[in-house]
Amino acid sequence: MSRPAALREVRDAPRSAAASLPPLPVGLVTLPGVYRPQADTLLLAEALAQEEMGPRTDALEIGTGTGALALHAAGRGARVTAVDVSWPAVVTTRLNSLRRRLPLRVLHGDFAERTAGCRFDLVITNPPYVPAPGDRLPSYGPTRAWDAGPDGRGVIDRICAGAPALLRPGGVLLMVHSGMCGAEETLDRLTGSGLAARVTAKASVPWGPVLRSRRAWLEQQGLTTEAEEWEELVIIRAESR
């Protein structure tokens, strides 16, 4: 997909040779109900392009969707496991893996259960992060890809808690989410668990239809203002010491 005109990036990490490669594969199959790569996917892909990886890199993608990011890593030689709670996403990723002739291990289910006892050099994730009414996360349908509880942290906090057990020494977590969810809280949780965490990139993108549809509720929760029309995205990079 093309870069949104509003995208603004801030980076302080050195660029790898892979950063000049196209960050996302094109022409991916996307089955109904599967989250299509958007500005957050692109921002995460460009952060991923700055990481060193190769045949000895074991990578995990949590919430793989179309498999775009998993395929990026596999195309650079990494051994990639991709997991998603959505069966349509799992099927989509498997189809795209076959079409691209890139090997992926694609698993269905909760990431913590499916990866128990496994450790990785790299974990990448674009988790659900849109604040939504109700305390329970959706258990089916396309909203599973974005709705994440009243503060948008229903999945983010689980990833923060599980990251130390998923990463090998020196391993890296790359996560994208909305500034509406509290980047500082994510950093505090990750550093509190012993990881070295920082924000490495930011972007501002126009509000999409989901946020626009729940503006009144977001204002009532104090998560936005009446005049707000732009959403800040952040990339958080955390490294195991």
Side-chain angles (χ1 to χ4, degrees):
M1 59 184 288
S2 61
R3 181 194 303 267
L7 197 64
R8 296 185 289 107
E9 300 171 47
V10 178
R11 286 199 183 90
D12 53 13
R15 294 179 67 82
S16 73
S20 61
L21 299 175
L24 287 176
V26 296
L28 295 176
V29 171
T30 307
L31 296 183
V34 177
Y35 185 79
R36 294 177 179 273
Q38 298 185 38
D40 50 2
T41 321
L42 177 60
L43 191 65
L44 185 54
E46 293 184 341
L48 177 60
Q50 298 179 60
E51 299 294 331
E52 298 293 335
M53 69 180 74
R56 295 185 179 180
T57 303
D58 287 313
L60 168 69
E61 184 181 15
I62 298 171
T64 193
T66 62
L69 295 166
L71 289 168
H72 174 105
R76 292 174 57 195
R79 297 174 298 214
V80 185
T81 298
V83 62
D84 205 294
V85 295
S86 162
W87 267 118
V90 168
V91 173
T92 295
T93 297
R94 288 175 177 170
L95 286 173
N96 286 322
S97 173
L98 290 171
R99 283 165 55 88
R100 295 277 165 172
R101 298 183 180 180
L102 289 171
L104 296 178
R105 181 173 179 243
V106 188
L107 305 177
H108 173 256
D110 179 78
F111 77 92
E113 296 175 0
R114 296 311 310 267
T115 61
C118 300
R119 288 185 176 247
F120 301 88
D121 303 296
L122 179 66
V123 176
I124 52 179
T125 181
N126 181 3
Y129 56 71
V130 177
D135 294 328
R136 299 185 65 178
L137 300 180
S139 57
Y140 63 91
T143 59
R144 298 179 86 176
W146 57 80
D147 279 358
D151 58 3
R153 301 192 59 89
V155 180
I156 292 171
D157 287 345
R158 291 191 62 225
I159 293 172
C160 290
L166 286 172
L167 293 173
R168 291 172 178 161
V172 169
L173 166 71
L174 290 175
M175 182 193 303
V176 62
H177 67 68
S178 173
M180 196 177 292
C181 305
E184 289 301 322
E185 182 170 352
T186 299
L187 293 175
D188 288 344
R189 286 177 178 268
L190 290 170
T191 55
S193 65
L195 305 180
R198 59 196 174 101
V199 172
T200 58
K202 295 181 181 180
S204 292
V205 297
W207 273 27
V210 174
L211 287 181
R212 292 197 300 268
S213 70
R214 59 186 65 160
R215 172 181 289 280
W217 179 83
L218 291 168
E219 291 175 7
Q220 291 172 3
Q221 302 303 304
L223 295 173
T224 191
T225 63
E226 183 178 354
E228 187 63 55
E229 294 289 344
W230 296 83
E231 180 184 18
E232 182 183 68
L233 304 176
V234 297
I235 294 290
I236 293 177
R237 184 182 190 274
E239 186 169 351
S240 178
R241 307 181 189 191

